[in-house]
Short mmCIF file of all heavy atoms in Angstrom, two decimals:
data_model
loop_
_atom_site.label_atom_id
_atom_site.label_comp_id
_atom_site.label_asym_id
_atom_site.label_seq_id
_atom_site.Cartn_x
_atom_site.Cartn_y
_atom_site.Cartn_z
N LYS F 9 46.84 -13.77 -262.37
CA LYS F 9 45.55 -13.45 -261.53
C LYS F 9 44.54 -14.52 -261.83
O LYS F 9 43.33 -14.19 -261.31
CB LYS F 9 45.14 -12.13 -261.90
CG LYS F 9 46.18 -11.00 -261.60
CD LYS F 9 45.54 -9.77 -260.88
CE LYS F 9 46.60 -8.98 -260.28
NZ LYS F 9 46.09 -7.81 -259.62
N LEU F 12 40.97 -20.51 -259.25
CA LEU F 12 39.84 -21.43 -259.33
C LEU F 12 38.66 -20.85 -258.85
O LEU F 12 38.68 -19.93 -257.80
CB LEU F 12 40.09 -22.72 -258.55
CG LEU F 12 41.05 -23.80 -259.09
CD1 LEU F 12 40.93 -25.03 -258.17
CD2 LEU F 12 40.80 -24.19 -260.54
N TYR F 30 40.32 -41.44 -245.99
CA TYR F 30 39.97 -42.84 -246.50
C TYR F 30 41.28 -43.73 -246.63
O TYR F 30 41.26 -44.88 -246.38
CB TYR F 30 39.37 -42.70 -247.90
CG TYR F 30 38.98 -44.00 -248.54
CD1 TYR F 30 37.99 -44.78 -247.90
CD2 TYR F 30 39.56 -44.46 -249.70
CE1 TYR F 30 37.71 -46.11 -248.52
CE2 TYR F 30 39.28 -45.75 -250.17
CZ TYR F 30 38.25 -46.44 -249.60
OH TYR F 30 37.89 -47.71 -250.10
N PHE F 31 42.47 -43.09 -247.02
CA PHE F 31 43.63 -43.84 -247.14
C PHE F 31 44.35 -44.13 -245.84
O PHE F 31 44.75 -45.12 -245.57
CB PHE F 31 44.56 -43.35 -248.11
CG PHE F 31 44.09 -43.48 -249.66
CD1 PHE F 31 43.64 -42.41 -250.34
CD2 PHE F 31 44.23 -44.82 -250.23
CE1 PHE F 31 43.19 -42.65 -251.74
CE2 PHE F 31 43.94 -45.04 -251.56
CZ PHE F 31 43.26 -44.04 -252.27
N GLY F 33 43.38 -42.67 -242.59
CA GLY F 33 42.73 -42.55 -241.31
C GLY F 33 42.85 -41.42 -240.48
O GLY F 33 42.33 -41.20 -239.40
N HIS F 57 68.35 -32.45 -223.25
CA HIS F 57 67.35 -31.62 -223.01
C HIS F 57 66.09 -32.07 -223.61
O HIS F 57 64.88 -31.91 -223.05
CB HIS F 57 67.88 -30.12 -223.48
CG HIS F 57 66.80 -29.17 -223.23
ND1 HIS F 57 66.47 -28.66 -222.04
CD2 HIS F 57 66.03 -28.38 -224.27
CE1 HIS F 57 65.51 -27.79 -222.18
NE2 HIS F 57 65.17 -27.52 -223.49
N HIS F 62 59.35 -31.91 -220.84
CA HIS F 62 57.92 -32.58 -220.76
C HIS F 62 57.20 -32.45 -222.14
O HIS F 62 56.37 -33.15 -222.44
CB HIS F 62 57.14 -31.60 -219.82
CG HIS F 62 57.26 -32.03 -218.40
ND1 HIS F 62 56.41 -32.08 -217.35
CD2 HIS F 62 58.37 -32.63 -217.75
CE1 HIS F 62 56.79 -32.46 -216.25
NE2 HIS F 62 58.00 -32.83 -216.34
N TYR F 64 58.99 -31.64 -225.53
CA TYR F 64 59.75 -32.43 -226.59
C TYR F 64 59.72 -33.89 -226.36
O TYR F 64 59.72 -34.67 -227.30
CB TYR F 64 61.21 -32.01 -226.65
CG TYR F 64 61.50 -30.52 -226.96
CD1 TYR F 64 62.23 -29.85 -225.89
CD2 TYR F 64 60.97 -29.97 -227.97
CE1 TYR F 64 62.47 -28.47 -226.22
CE2 TYR F 64 61.18 -28.57 -228.20
CZ TYR F 64 61.97 -27.79 -227.19
OH TYR F 64 62.18 -26.51 -227.54
N SER F 93 51.44 -25.56 -258.95
CA SER F 93 50.40 -24.70 -259.31
C SER F 93 50.77 -23.22 -259.58
O SER F 93 50.38 -22.64 -260.56
CB SER F 93 49.36 -24.76 -258.06
OG SER F 93 48.46 -23.62 -258.07
N ARG F 99 52.58 -17.66 -261.22
CA ARG F 99 52.82 -16.84 -260.10
C ARG F 99 54.12 -17.08 -259.37
O ARG F 99 54.30 -16.52 -258.30
CB ARG F 99 51.50 -17.36 -259.11
CG ARG F 99 50.40 -16.60 -259.38
CD ARG F 99 49.36 -16.68 -258.27
NE ARG F 99 48.64 -18.01 -258.20
CZ ARG F 99 47.61 -18.32 -258.83
NH1 ARG F 99 46.92 -17.39 -259.52
NH2 ARG F 99 46.98 -19.58 -258.76
N LYS F 101 57.31 -15.82 -258.19
CA LYS F 101 58.09 -14.62 -258.21
C LYS F 101 58.37 -14.30 -256.78
O LYS F 101 57.71 -14.47 -255.93
CB LYS F 101 57.17 -13.50 -258.67
CG LYS F 101 57.87 -12.32 -259.07
CD LYS F 101 56.80 -11.18 -259.52
CE LYS F 101 57.51 -9.81 -259.70
NZ LYS F 101 56.42 -8.77 -259.75
N LYS F 103 58.93 -11.96 -253.85
CA LYS F 103 58.34 -10.56 -253.51
C LYS F 103 57.82 -10.59 -252.12
O LYS F 103 57.50 -11.67 -251.51
CB LYS F 103 57.24 -10.12 -254.56
CG LYS F 103 55.91 -10.93 -254.50
CD LYS F 103 55.00 -10.10 -255.35
CE LYS F 103 53.58 -10.64 -255.42
NZ LYS F 103 52.63 -9.92 -256.14
N GLU F 105 54.67 -9.32 -250.30
CA GLU F 105 53.29 -8.75 -250.79
C GLU F 105 52.80 -7.85 -249.47
O GLU F 105 52.76 -8.26 -248.23
CB GLU F 105 52.38 -9.91 -250.77
CG GLU F 105 50.90 -9.40 -251.34
CD GLU F 105 50.04 -10.55 -251.36
OE1 GLU F 105 50.12 -11.59 -250.49
OE2 GLU F 105 49.02 -10.45 -252.12
N ARG F 115 55.68 -4.82 -242.88
CA ARG F 115 55.11 -6.07 -243.26
C ARG F 115 55.81 -7.28 -242.65
O ARG F 115 55.18 -8.22 -242.23
CB ARG F 115 54.98 -6.09 -244.86
CG ARG F 115 54.62 -7.50 -245.35
CD ARG F 115 53.12 -7.81 -244.96
NE ARG F 115 52.84 -9.29 -245.39
CZ ARG F 115 52.36 -10.19 -244.62
NH1 ARG F 115 51.97 -9.89 -243.50
NH2 ARG F 115 52.04 -11.36 -244.91
N LEU F 124 54.90 -16.07 -235.02
CA LEU F 124 55.28 -16.47 -233.71
C LEU F 124 54.04 -16.80 -232.89
O LEU F 124 53.94 -17.87 -232.20
CB LEU F 124 55.96 -15.35 -233.01
CG LEU F 124 56.73 -15.64 -231.78
CD1 LEU F 124 57.98 -14.73 -231.78
CD2 LEU F 124 55.91 -15.30 -230.53
N LYS F 134 46.68 -27.97 -230.17
CA LYS F 134 47.12 -29.19 -230.66
C LYS F 134 46.78 -29.28 -232.13
O LYS F 134 46.31 -30.34 -232.62
CB LYS F 134 46.46 -30.29 -229.85
CG LYS F 134 46.90 -30.28 -228.47
CD LYS F 134 45.81 -30.95 -227.55
CE LYS F 134 46.14 -30.74 -226.12
NZ LYS F 134 45.62 -29.40 -225.56
N THR F 137 44.77 -24.29 -238.30
CA THR F 137 43.65 -24.22 -239.09
C THR F 137 43.42 -25.49 -240.00
O THR F 137 42.26 -25.92 -240.27
CB THR F 137 43.83 -23.12 -240.17
OG1 THR F 137 44.66 -22.14 -239.53
CG2 THR F 137 42.50 -22.33 -240.44
N LEU F 148 33.74 -34.27 -237.66
CA LEU F 148 32.78 -33.91 -236.66
C LEU F 148 33.32 -33.64 -235.26
O LEU F 148 32.70 -33.60 -234.19
CB LEU F 148 31.61 -34.75 -236.53
CG LEU F 148 30.65 -34.88 -237.62
CD1 LEU F 148 29.79 -36.11 -237.56
CD2 LEU F 148 29.77 -33.71 -237.75
N SER F 149 34.67 -33.37 -235.23
CA SER F 149 35.31 -33.30 -233.86
C SER F 149 34.82 -32.00 -233.23
O SER F 149 34.97 -30.85 -233.80
CB SER F 149 36.83 -33.15 -234.04
OG SER F 149 37.41 -32.52 -233.03
N LEU F 150 34.46 -31.98 -232.02
CA LEU F 150 34.01 -30.88 -231.29
C LEU F 150 35.18 -29.81 -231.27
O LEU F 150 35.01 -28.65 -231.44
CB LEU F 150 33.60 -31.20 -229.81
CG LEU F 150 33.18 -30.07 -228.97
CD1 LEU F 150 31.98 -29.32 -229.44
CD2 LEU F 150 32.74 -30.52 -227.61
N ALA F 151 36.34 -30.31 -231.03
CA ALA F 151 37.57 -29.43 -230.78
C ALA F 151 37.83 -28.67 -232.22
O ALA F 151 38.09 -27.58 -232.21
CB ALA F 151 38.77 -30.27 -230.59
N PHE F 166 40.55 -8.73 -234.84
CA PHE F 166 41.86 -8.05 -234.85
C PHE F 166 42.31 -7.64 -236.19
O PHE F 166 43.13 -6.79 -236.37
CB PHE F 166 42.84 -9.09 -234.26
CG PHE F 166 43.00 -8.94 -232.74
CD1 PHE F 166 42.11 -9.73 -232.05
CD2 PHE F 166 43.86 -8.11 -232.11
CE1 PHE F 166 42.09 -9.58 -230.55
CE2 PHE F 166 43.88 -7.95 -230.76
CZ PHE F 166 43.07 -8.68 -230.00
N ALA F 167 41.67 -8.16 -237.29
CA ALA F 167 42.04 -7.68 -238.57
C ALA F 167 41.67 -6.14 -238.73
O ALA F 167 42.41 -5.38 -239.31
CB ALA F 167 41.17 -8.46 -239.78
N TRP F 168 40.59 -5.72 -238.06
CA TRP F 168 40.15 -4.34 -237.99
C TRP F 168 41.10 -3.47 -237.24
O TRP F 168 41.31 -2.34 -237.48
CB TRP F 168 38.75 -4.19 -237.61
CG TRP F 168 37.89 -4.70 -238.61
CD1 TRP F 168 37.30 -5.96 -238.81
CD2 TRP F 168 37.26 -3.94 -239.79
NE1 TRP F 168 36.47 -6.00 -239.95
CE2 TRP F 168 36.47 -4.72 -240.53
CE3 TRP F 168 37.43 -2.60 -240.18
CZ2 TRP F 168 35.86 -4.47 -241.75
CZ3 TRP F 168 36.80 -2.23 -241.39
CH2 TRP F 168 36.05 -3.05 -242.12
N TRP F 174 46.56 -3.72 -244.06
CA TRP F 174 45.79 -4.56 -245.14
C TRP F 174 45.37 -3.69 -246.19
O TRP F 174 45.53 -3.95 -247.40
CB TRP F 174 44.89 -5.61 -244.49
CG TRP F 174 45.57 -6.57 -243.47
CD1 TRP F 174 45.35 -6.55 -242.23
CD2 TRP F 174 46.53 -7.55 -243.85
NE1 TRP F 174 46.21 -7.52 -241.61
CE2 TRP F 174 46.93 -8.15 -242.67
CE3 TRP F 174 47.13 -7.97 -245.03
CZ2 TRP F 174 47.74 -9.12 -242.61
CZ3 TRP F 174 48.15 -9.01 -244.95
CH2 TRP F 174 48.46 -9.62 -243.83
N MET C 1 37.09 -53.51 -249.66
CA MET C 1 38.04 -52.47 -249.38
C MET C 1 37.47 -51.44 -248.51
O MET C 1 37.13 -50.19 -248.69
CB MET C 1 38.03 -51.66 -250.87
CG MET C 1 38.67 -52.48 -251.95
SD MET C 1 40.51 -52.49 -251.88
CE MET C 1 40.70 -50.89 -252.96
N PRO C 4 39.65 -46.93 -243.26
CA PRO C 4 40.83 -46.41 -243.86
C PRO C 4 41.77 -47.43 -244.27
O PRO C 4 42.16 -48.42 -243.53
CB PRO C 4 41.38 -45.50 -242.82
CG PRO C 4 40.78 -46.11 -241.46
CD PRO C 4 39.57 -46.67 -241.79
N LEU C 5 42.20 -47.42 -245.52
CA LEU C 5 42.95 -48.55 -246.12
C LEU C 5 44.30 -48.92 -245.52
O LEU C 5 44.54 -50.04 -245.44
CB LEU C 5 43.07 -48.17 -247.71
CG LEU C 5 41.88 -48.11 -248.44
CD1 LEU C 5 42.23 -47.85 -249.97
CD2 LEU C 5 40.91 -49.28 -248.36
N ILE C 6 45.07 -47.89 -245.23
CA ILE C 6 46.40 -48.30 -244.56
C ILE C 6 46.21 -48.85 -243.15
O ILE C 6 46.87 -49.89 -242.83
CB ILE C 6 47.39 -47.02 -244.69
CG1 ILE C 6 47.69 -46.77 -246.06
CG2 ILE C 6 48.65 -47.32 -243.91
CD1 ILE C 6 48.46 -45.46 -246.30
N GLU C 32 46.85 -23.42 -253.45
CA GLU C 32 47.49 -22.41 -254.26
C GLU C 32 46.58 -21.93 -255.34
O GLU C 32 46.42 -20.68 -255.63
CB GLU C 32 48.79 -22.82 -254.77
CG GLU C 32 49.88 -21.69 -255.06
CD GLU C 32 49.49 -20.90 -256.40
OE1 GLU C 32 48.85 -21.41 -257.24
OE2 GLU C 32 49.85 -19.67 -256.25
N ALA C 33 45.91 -22.97 -256.08
CA ALA C 33 45.15 -22.59 -257.24
C ALA C 33 43.83 -21.80 -256.85
O ALA C 33 43.34 -21.14 -257.50
CB ALA C 33 44.63 -23.81 -257.96
N SER C 38 48.24 -15.84 -251.28
CA SER C 38 48.22 -14.42 -251.17
C SER C 38 47.74 -14.00 -249.92
O SER C 38 46.49 -14.22 -249.68
CB SER C 38 47.42 -13.76 -252.35
OG SER C 38 47.22 -12.34 -252.08
N SER C 39 48.41 -13.40 -249.04
CA SER C 39 47.94 -12.96 -247.66
C SER C 39 46.76 -11.93 -247.84
O SER C 39 45.84 -11.91 -247.06
CB SER C 39 49.05 -12.39 -246.85
OG SER C 39 49.69 -11.32 -247.42
N ARG C 40 46.91 -11.02 -248.82
CA ARG C 40 46.01 -9.95 -248.96
C ARG C 40 44.60 -10.44 -249.54
O ARG C 40 43.56 -9.91 -249.27
CB ARG C 40 46.44 -8.78 -249.79
CG ARG C 40 47.59 -8.10 -249.07
CD ARG C 40 48.03 -6.78 -249.72
NE ARG C 40 47.08 -5.80 -249.50
CZ ARG C 40 46.89 -4.74 -250.45
NH1 ARG C 40 47.69 -4.70 -251.41
NH2 ARG C 40 45.90 -3.72 -250.29
N PHE C 46 37.96 -10.87 -243.85
CA PHE C 46 37.62 -10.07 -242.77
C PHE C 46 37.21 -8.71 -243.09
O PHE C 46 36.66 -7.92 -242.22
CB PHE C 46 38.82 -10.11 -241.78
CG PHE C 46 39.25 -11.51 -241.50
CD1 PHE C 46 40.58 -11.95 -241.80
CD2 PHE C 46 38.27 -12.40 -240.85
CE1 PHE C 46 40.79 -13.30 -241.46
CE2 PHE C 46 38.63 -13.63 -240.53
CZ PHE C 46 39.85 -14.14 -240.85
N TYR C 83 40.83 -40.86 -237.11
CA TYR C 83 41.38 -40.14 -236.08
C TYR C 83 40.46 -38.86 -235.74
O TYR C 83 40.33 -37.95 -236.60
CB TYR C 83 42.79 -39.65 -236.42
CG TYR C 83 43.38 -38.78 -235.20
CD1 TYR C 83 43.71 -39.42 -233.97
CD2 TYR C 83 43.39 -37.50 -235.35
CE1 TYR C 83 44.27 -38.61 -233.04
CE2 TYR C 83 44.03 -36.72 -234.33
CZ TYR C 83 44.37 -37.32 -233.16
OH TYR C 83 44.91 -36.42 -232.14
N THR C 87 39.06 -33.46 -227.68
CA THR C 87 38.71 -32.00 -227.26
C THR C 87 39.28 -31.67 -225.81
O THR C 87 39.06 -32.35 -224.93
CB THR C 87 37.24 -31.88 -227.32
OG1 THR C 87 36.73 -32.17 -228.50
CG2 THR C 87 36.78 -30.43 -226.86
N SER C 91 42.20 -25.24 -223.88
CA SER C 91 43.39 -24.95 -224.77
C SER C 91 42.85 -24.82 -226.25
O SER C 91 43.52 -24.09 -226.98
CB SER C 91 44.35 -26.02 -224.62
OG SER C 91 43.83 -27.19 -224.95
N SER C 104 45.53 -12.39 -238.05
CA SER C 104 45.23 -11.10 -238.52
C SER C 104 46.50 -10.20 -238.62
O SER C 104 46.59 -9.29 -239.39
CB SER C 104 44.22 -10.41 -237.51
OG SER C 104 44.95 -10.35 -236.26
N GLY C 106 49.63 -11.72 -239.54
CA GLY C 106 50.62 -12.26 -240.52
C GLY C 106 49.88 -12.60 -241.79
O GLY C 106 50.45 -12.57 -242.87
N CYS C 109 47.94 -18.80 -242.32
CA CYS C 109 48.04 -19.78 -241.27
C CYS C 109 49.20 -20.72 -241.77
O CYS C 109 49.70 -20.51 -242.83
CB CYS C 109 46.71 -20.59 -241.10
SG CYS C 109 46.17 -21.33 -242.67
N ILE C 119 55.86 -20.28 -253.85
CA ILE C 119 55.81 -19.55 -255.00
C ILE C 119 56.80 -18.30 -254.85
O ILE C 119 56.65 -17.40 -255.67
CB ILE C 119 54.39 -19.15 -255.44
CG1 ILE C 119 53.75 -18.23 -254.49
CG2 ILE C 119 53.63 -20.39 -255.73
CD1 ILE C 119 52.62 -17.48 -255.20
N LEU C 122 58.37 -13.74 -249.73
CA LEU C 122 59.29 -13.57 -248.75
C LEU C 122 58.70 -13.40 -247.37
O LEU C 122 59.11 -13.82 -246.34
CB LEU C 122 60.34 -12.51 -249.08
CG LEU C 122 61.05 -12.85 -250.36
CD1 LEU C 122 61.96 -11.74 -250.87
CD2 LEU C 122 61.97 -14.13 -250.18
N ASP C 123 57.53 -12.75 -247.32
CA ASP C 123 56.77 -12.52 -246.12
C ASP C 123 56.35 -13.86 -245.53
O ASP C 123 56.29 -13.98 -244.29
CB ASP C 123 55.66 -11.50 -246.28
CG ASP C 123 54.88 -11.79 -247.53
OD1 ASP C 123 55.42 -12.30 -248.57
OD2 ASP C 123 53.55 -11.58 -247.59
N GLU C 140 59.80 -24.41 -224.53
CA GLU C 140 60.61 -24.05 -223.38
C GLU C 140 59.70 -23.71 -222.29
O GLU C 140 60.04 -23.87 -220.94
CB GLU C 140 61.63 -23.12 -223.79
CG GLU C 140 62.66 -23.50 -224.78
CD GLU C 140 63.43 -24.75 -224.33
OE1 GLU C 140 63.76 -24.90 -223.07
OE2 GLU C 140 63.71 -25.59 -225.17
N GLU C 146 51.42 -26.10 -218.82
CA GLU C 146 51.11 -27.55 -218.85
C GLU C 146 49.62 -27.80 -218.35
O GLU C 146 48.92 -28.62 -218.81
CB GLU C 146 52.11 -28.33 -218.10
CG GLU C 146 51.86 -29.86 -218.41
CD GLU C 146 53.21 -30.61 -217.88
OE1 GLU C 146 54.04 -29.97 -217.37
OE2 GLU C 146 53.21 -31.84 -218.10
N TYR C 149 47.07 -26.63 -220.78
CA TYR C 149 47.17 -27.57 -221.87
C TYR C 149 46.28 -28.77 -221.82
O TYR C 149 45.71 -29.25 -222.67
CB TYR C 149 48.61 -27.91 -222.11
CG TYR C 149 48.99 -28.76 -223.26
CD1 TYR C 149 49.21 -28.12 -224.56
CD2 TYR C 149 49.20 -30.05 -223.19
CE1 TYR C 149 49.59 -28.93 -225.67
CE2 TYR C 149 49.55 -30.87 -224.23
CZ TYR C 149 49.72 -30.34 -225.53
OH TYR C 149 50.07 -31.10 -226.65
N LYS C 157 35.39 -36.12 -228.71
CA LYS C 157 33.93 -35.89 -228.54
C LYS C 157 33.54 -35.39 -229.96
O LYS C 157 34.16 -34.63 -230.51
CB LYS C 157 33.79 -34.94 -227.59
CG LYS C 157 32.31 -34.54 -227.23
CD LYS C 157 32.01 -34.63 -225.87
CE LYS C 157 30.51 -34.33 -225.52
NZ LYS C 157 29.94 -35.38 -224.72
N VAL C 159 30.90 -33.27 -232.17
CA VAL C 159 30.00 -32.00 -232.04
C VAL C 159 28.65 -32.27 -232.09
O VAL C 159 27.86 -31.70 -231.26
CB VAL C 159 30.52 -30.92 -233.06
CG1 VAL C 159 30.13 -31.39 -234.45
CG2 VAL C 159 29.84 -29.65 -232.79
N TYR C 197 45.00 -5.78 -255.26
CA TYR C 197 46.18 -6.33 -254.67
C TYR C 197 46.81 -7.28 -255.51
O TYR C 197 46.35 -7.62 -256.65
CB TYR C 197 45.81 -7.16 -253.24
CG TYR C 197 44.56 -8.03 -253.51
CD1 TYR C 197 44.81 -9.37 -253.91
CD2 TYR C 197 43.39 -7.56 -253.28
CE1 TYR C 197 43.76 -10.27 -254.04
CE2 TYR C 197 42.26 -8.45 -253.46
CZ TYR C 197 42.55 -9.76 -253.80
OH TYR C 197 41.45 -10.66 -254.07
#
Side-chain angles (χ1 to χ4, degrees):
Chain F
K9 294 225 164 177
L12 285 187
Y30 182 67
F31 283 108
H57 179 67
H62 279 210
Y64 303 123
S93 169
R99 277 195 280 273
K101 195 181 169 192
K103 71 168 178 183
E105 186 188 26
R115 166 68 187 133
L124 197 145
K134 300 154 190 85
T137 335
L148 294 165
S149 155
L150 177 63
F166 277 86
W168 288 90
W174 300 110
Chain C
M1 297 273 276
L5 298 181
I6 293 174
E32 207 290 325
S38 160
S39 55
R40 294 189 72 205
F46 304 119
Y83 176 74
T87 298
S91 59
S104 61
C109 59
I119 65 156
L122 299 170
D123 41 330
E140 294 301 324
E146 195 167 358
Y149 184 84
K157 184 128 180 130
V159 64
Y197 52 89

